[in-house]
Amino acid sequence: MRKMDSYDIARLAGVSRKTVQRVLNNAASVKPATRDKVLRVMQEHHYEPNSAARQLSSRKANTMGLFIVQDKPLYTLHTDDLFYGPIIGAIISRCAELGYTTLVSVLDLSDIESLFSMYRQKSIDGGFIVSWSDLRPVIDRMAVAGFKVGLFDEGFYHAPEVPIPHLDNRRSARDAARYLLELGHRDIGILTGDMNNFTAQERLKGYTEALRERGIEPAESRICYGQFTEEDGVRAVERWLAAGDLPKALLCSNDLMAYGALKALSGRGVSVPDDISVVGFDDLLVSQYTYPPLTTMKVPRVDMAVHVADCLVALVEEREPPAPEQFVASLTERQSCAPARPARGDRQIGH
Amino acid sequence: MRKMDSYDIARLAGVSRKTVQRVLNNAASVKPATRDKVLRVMQEHHYEPNSAARQLSSRKANTMGLFIVQDKPLYTLHTDDLFYGPIIGAIISRCAELGYTTLVSVLDLSDIESLFSMYRQKSIDGGFIVSWSDLRPVIDRMAVAGFKVGLFDEGFYHAPEVPIPHLDNRRSARDAARYLLELGHRDIGILTGDMNNFTAQERLKGYTEALRERGIEPAESRICYGQFTEEDGVRAVERWLAAGDLPKALLCSNDLMAYGALKALSGRGVSVPDDISVVGFDDLLVSQYTYPPLTTMKVPRVDMAVHVADCLVALVEEREPPAPEQFVASLTERQSCAPARPARGDRQIGH
DNA sequence: CTGAAAGCGCTTACAG
DNA sequence: CTGAAAGCGCTTACAG
């Protein structure tokens, strides 16, 4: 019961160390009977190979890093971040399935060195970075050093050698706008995200395309530029309300902004969905608890996470990466949208 | 730039390996000039000591395990679990501050073996288990094996050698009930958690004590037994409503049940807080988004997490653990409570 | 295919 | 205090 190593197991099972190792690595060339015997001995003695020794001699950590960056000014990102929470869980689980443990760190953007440390210390074979910020400088440094990394938000980065799951934001936003159009709405506003962000740009394009398909040219007054924060939603609504110019339907480029809009609307006594329909984007956990529960475009975050994990592991193992996938958000209907009510000369819809 | 080891650094800096090591471990006995020189050489060559080699020779992983168990039937627990999310972040950050990395796993309760594996492989020096389930059998096995572990929920376990942060649930619930009493309410119901759970028992006791202080003996009809799930909140409200016997104020033993109650109430057209005041317990992220925003007892989860982390690290390093702390939940007022309205023979309060 | 040796890159006693 | 050696427990070439 004292110190057990693979040598002891070999002796006790009456086989060579090599055989013990084959059993550990599930090699085929071991007779079932021998295999069982070795396994039995290992279990009896609670033997499991020392991971540090393994890492040291094989030069492989079988560990991935997961870096959650605490984005500073605009977005605060915690492990309980509503968007990234499920992604974090999915990555960890998927890596485990693929034989990797996951070392999680929360990182300040001002102290990004500890990320590089983990690579240099050979604590990890690769890493995922989860962040809303523009990480291009960091990623470039990593590329130079040959450190393997996967990302999530393609808002700022797009490089063939860096796995990033691709969401078809334009199409998804188009689908959201079409939904509103099919409800009979013609006066549809949009609340955009940070326009330096590729994702935000694409969602705006999708909105514009959908309206144009119906021969509607989106007026400048219908486009409100935000930064993906809840506060933007509040401000947008208040500005429209102050101008007496609230649209009849509102597409928010993420759920957080929709929450802000909903709050401001309800605070001003404007009824959702009777007076205005609201659609969000993401489908965060909170969306089922808002008032009214938010209709939103669900981003398949878990599938996307599994996909990056698969890509990064393939990269680390120098295998062919899985085929690229194109993800699309799907409509989750709740109670924040209603058919347009007939007014002025608008044609009536429904019923 | 090829393979750098501490020997190379020593040679390049013109010192002994021992000195390099002293620098790495921040030992005092190195002259500042020497120290700087060594550090400069290390930086120039991007040298960082190999973690596997360190672990192997020092028999220490400097790593903690964080096991998020996916509790089966009643509660589902994900990394985005509203209660545990911030706790997870706090543990990781605190461990980092104390010099430990954190290996996170999500665990199925049916496959708890992988938890033991990490200890046997010496991948971790200790671990935290985050779960709603009754873990006593697992913890007992760990104690026998000498594996060090910290927990969160003291609902089921209470042992001197296992760090668990202690929340004074009785006092916290008493404070919540007192708040309702001070608002003038006398007809106050409670929705309890699973009564096998110590935490649930204590919260009920706190409620009872507060009412008795005011000479109110809680009627059986005011106590509704739940299991900490959202659905319990729905059912409780529906049962009371069906009996035409809704209390004027309701203390929910956690936020999730309060969400259910709020939904059911609003679905039946009962106004919160005009017709009934509702108080939750936990202060999850969602509570600011419910309708109306939920007044609730905030559990200092982050402080509690930091405290267990400190305790477990002390245990691992065989140092004296920090002094035990007694945590208390504090009232977070939002909009789900209002003063009792004068009715029948009740004395009037307020104004 | 099998076995004994060398090696992974540190830390830790152990002589000097 | 300093330095050379042994050792941590595996894996990986390398002879046989």
Side-chain angles (χ1 to χ4, degrees):
Chain A
M1 275 304 285
R2 300 282 7 250
K3 31 160 79 170
M4 270 286 151
D5 62 16
S6 60
Y7 185 83
D8 297 314
I9 298 299
R11 193 170 33 77
L12 291 167
V15 302
S16 72
R17 284 188 68 192
K18 190 78 187 191
T19 305
V20 170
Q21 207 163 289
R22 283 204 200 83
V23 172
L24 284 174
N25 298 325
N26 282 311
S29 53
V30 182
K31 277 189 293 188
T34 314
R35 191 187 141 78
D36 289 349
K37 180 167 196 182
V38 172
L39 283 175
R40 199 167 347 105
V41 173
M42 294 200 297
Q43 284 193 353
E44 267 168 26
H45 296 269
H46 298 302
Y47 168 80
E48 306 215 18
N50 180 296
S51 65
R54 247 178 159 170
Q55 288 186 210
L56 181 58
S57 52
S58 70
R59 286 110 212 275
K60 232 203 133 197
N62 287 305
T63 303
M64 292 294 181
L66 175 48
F67 302 94
I68 301 169
V69 354
Q70 214 76 24
D71 301 84
K72 262 313 161 41
L74 266 184
Y75 323 105
T76 42
L77 181 60
H78 309 277
T79 41
D80 60 335
D81 179 271
L82 289 165
F83 186 81
Y84 284 125
I87 289 176
I88 292 169
I91 291 190
I92 294 173
S93 300
R94 184 56 170 178
C95 285
E97 285 173 10
L98 299 171
Y100 289 78
T101 53
T102 309
L103 221 33
V104 182
S105 318
V106 353
L107 232 64
D108 214 275
L109 253 197
S110 63
D111 162 47
I112 211 78
E113 278 319 299
S114 66
L115 189 161
F116 290 91
S117 283
M118 309 224 66
Y119 283 94
R120 293 203 199 98
Q121 292 170 178
K122 303 262 186 298
S123 299
I124 57 177
D125 301 315
F128 302 92
I129 304 183
V130 139
S131 167
W132 295 119
S133 300
D134 184 354
L135 253 29
R136 270 171 293 193
V138 177
I139 308 295
D140 289 343
R141 274 185 62 194
M142 299 188 68
V144 171
F147 297 153
K148 285 151 184 169
V149 66
L151 297 181
F152 269 87
D153 191 21
E154 54 187 341
F156 295 106
Y157 208 81
H158 206 40
E161 73 280 10
V162 177
I164 309 178
H166 180 64
L167 181 73
D168 191 336
N169 284 294
R170 196 188 299 203
R171 176 171 157 199
S172 301
R174 203 165 49 205
D175 288 348
R178 280 178 179 160
Y179 169 69
L180 258 8
L181 287 161
E182 265 147 39
L183 247 25
H185 291 288
R186 297 190 63 89
D187 182 14
I188 305 174
I190 185 173
L191 225 169
T192 79
D194 176 357
M195 291 307 285
N196 293 316
N197 186 298
F198 184 65
T199 296
Q201 296 164 21
E202 288 291 298
R203 290 182 187 172
L204 176 56
K205 280 185 193 154
Y207 156 87
T208 307
E209 286 174 13
L211 295 214
R212 288 200 179 133
E213 281 172 2
R214 296 292 187 101
I216 303 172
E217 184 58 31
E220 258 309 315
S221 76
R222 302 291 84 171
I223 302 177
C224 186
Y225 297 94
Q227 307 267 346
F228 284 131
T229 75
E230 190 175 333
E231 193 45 42
D232 294 319
V234 175
R235 271 195 296 264
V237 163
E238 282 176 352
R239 198 174 330 152
W240 271 315
L241 243 25
D245 187 33
L246 194 68
K248 292 282 181 235
L250 177 58
L251 172 52
C252 301
S253 295
N254 74 354
D255 276 3
L256 231 43
M257 295 193 295
Y259 302 155
L262 252 28
K263 270 188 189 169
L265 256 6
S266 121
R268 299 299 223 84
V270 180
S271 165
V272 179
D274 293 339
D275 300 327
I276 178 173
S277 289
V278 177
V279 175
F281 211 108
D282 283 344
D283 196 16
L284 308 186
L285 189 62
V286 166
S287 298
Q288 47 185 304
Y289 295 101
T290 56
Y291 181 74
L294 184 69
T295 290
T296 186
M297 299 303 293
K298 181 191 180 75
V299 173
R301 291 171 283 164
V302 167
D303 296 341
M304 291 168 74
V306 167
H307 187 252
V308 237
D310 289 346
C311 291
L312 189 63
V313 167
L315 208 66
V316 160
E317 297 179 350
E318 292 174 336
R319 292 193 331 250
E320 200 59 33
E325 280 193 53
Q326 180 88 305
F327 297 94
V328 180
S330 57
L331 185 75
T332 298
E333 281 193 84
R334 283 194 271 255
Q335 297 159 40
S336 62
C337 293
R341 287 182 302 183
R344 295 172 317 189
D346 289 9
R347 71 205 153 93
Q348 187 171 351
I349 296 280
H351 308 278
Chain B
M1 275 302 286
R2 299 282 6 251
K3 30 160 76 167
M4 270 285 151
D5 61 16
S6 59
Y7 185 82
D8 297 313
I9 298 299
R11 194 170 32 76
L12 291 167
V15 302
S16 72
R17 286 187 67 192
K18 191 78 190 189
T19 305
V20 170
Q21 206 161 291
R22 282 206 200 83
V23 171
L24 284 174
N25 297 325
N26 283 311
S29 53
V30 182
K31 276 189 293 185
T34 315
R35 193 187 141 78
D36 290 348
K37 180 169 196 179
V38 172
L39 284 174
R40 201 168 345 108
V41 172
M42 296 201 296
Q43 284 193 354
E44 266 167 28
H45 296 270
H46 298 300
Y47 168 80
E48 306 216 18
N50 181 295
S51 65
R54 250 181 156 169
Q55 288 185 211
L56 181 56
S57 50
S58 70
R59 288 113 211 274
K60 218 189 148 213
N62 286 304
T63 303
M64 291 293 182
L66 175 49
F67 302 94
I68 301 168
V69 356
Q70 214 76 26
D71 301 84
K72 262 314 162 40
L74 266 185
Y75 323 105
T76 43
L77 182 59
H78 310 277
T79 42
D80 60 335
D81 179 271
L82 288 164
F83 185 81
Y84 283 126
I87 289 177
I88 292 169
I91 291 191
I92 293 172
S93 301
R94 185 55 170 177
C95 285
E97 286 173 9
L98 299 172
Y100 290 77
T101 54
T102 309
L103 222 33
V104 181
S105 317
V106 352
L107 232 66
D108 213 276
L109 214 38
S110 62
D111 161 47
I112 211 78
E113 279 318 299
S114 65
L115 189 161
F116 290 92
S117 282
M118 308 223 68
Y119 283 94
R120 293 202 199 99
Q121 292 168 178
K122 304 260 185 299
S123 300
I124 57 177
D125 301 315
F128 302 93
I129 304 184
V130 137
S131 166
W132 295 118
S133 300
D134 184 354
L135 253 29
R136 270 171 293 192
V138 176
I139 307 295
D140 289 343
R141 272 185 61 194
M142 299 188 68
V144 171
F147 297 152
K148 285 150 184 170
V149 67
L151 298 181
F152 269 88
D153 190 21
E154 54 184 343
F156 294 107
Y157 208 80
H158 206 39
E161 73 281 11
V162 176
I164 309 178
H166 179 65
L167 180 73
D168 191 336
N169 284 294
R170 196 188 299 200
R171 176 171 156 197
S172 301
R174 203 166 47 205
D175 288 348
R178 280 179 181 163
Y179 168 70
L180 258 9
L181 287 162
E182 265 148 40
L183 247 24
H185 292 288
R186 297 189 62 90
D187 182 14
I188 304 174
I190 185 171
L191 225 167
T192 78
D194 177 356
M195 291 306 286
N196 293 317
N197 186 300
F198 183 65
T199 296
Q201 296 165 20
E202 288 292 297
R203 291 184 185 171
L204 175 57
K205 279 185 193 154
Y207 155 88
T208 307
E209 286 173 14
L211 295 213
R212 288 198 179 136
E213 281 171 4
R214 297 291 188 104
I216 303 173
E217 185 58 33
E220 258 309 314
S221 76
R222 303 292 83 172
I223 302 177
C224 185
Y225 296 93
Q227 306 268 344
F228 284 131
T229 74
E230 191 175 333
E231 193 45 43
D232 293 320
V234 174
R235 271 196 296 265
V237 164
E238 282 176 352
R239 198 175 330 152
W240 271 316
L241 243 26
D245 188 31
L246 195 67
K248 293 284 181 234
L250 177 59
L251 172 53
C252 301
S253 294
N254 73 354
D255 277 2
L256 231 44
M257 295 194 294
Y259 303 155
L262 252 27
K263 272 188 187 169
L265 255 5
S266 121
R268 298 298 223 83
V270 179
S271 167
V272 178
D274 294 340
D275 299 327
I276 177 173
S277 288
V278 177
V279 175
F281 211 109
D282 283 344
D283 196 16
L284 308 186
L285 190 61
V286 166
S287 299
Q288 48 187 303
Y289 296 100
T290 54
Y291 182 76
L294 184 69
T295 290
T296 185
M297 298 304 292
K298 181 191 181 75
V299 174
R301 291 172 283 164
V302 167
D303 295 341
M304 291 167 74
V306 167
H307 187 253
V308 235
D310 289 347
C311 290
L312 189 63
V313 168
L315 207 65
V316 160
E317 298 179 350
E318 293 174 337
R319 292 193 331 251
E320 199 59 32
E325 281 193 51
Q326 180 88 304
F327 297 94
V328 180
S330 57
L331 184 75
T332 298
E333 281 194 85
R334 282 193 273 255
Q335 298 158 40
S336 62
C337 293
R341 287 183 301 185
R344 297 174 315 195
D346 289 8
R347 73 204 149 96
Q348 189 170 347
I349 295 281
H351 309 281

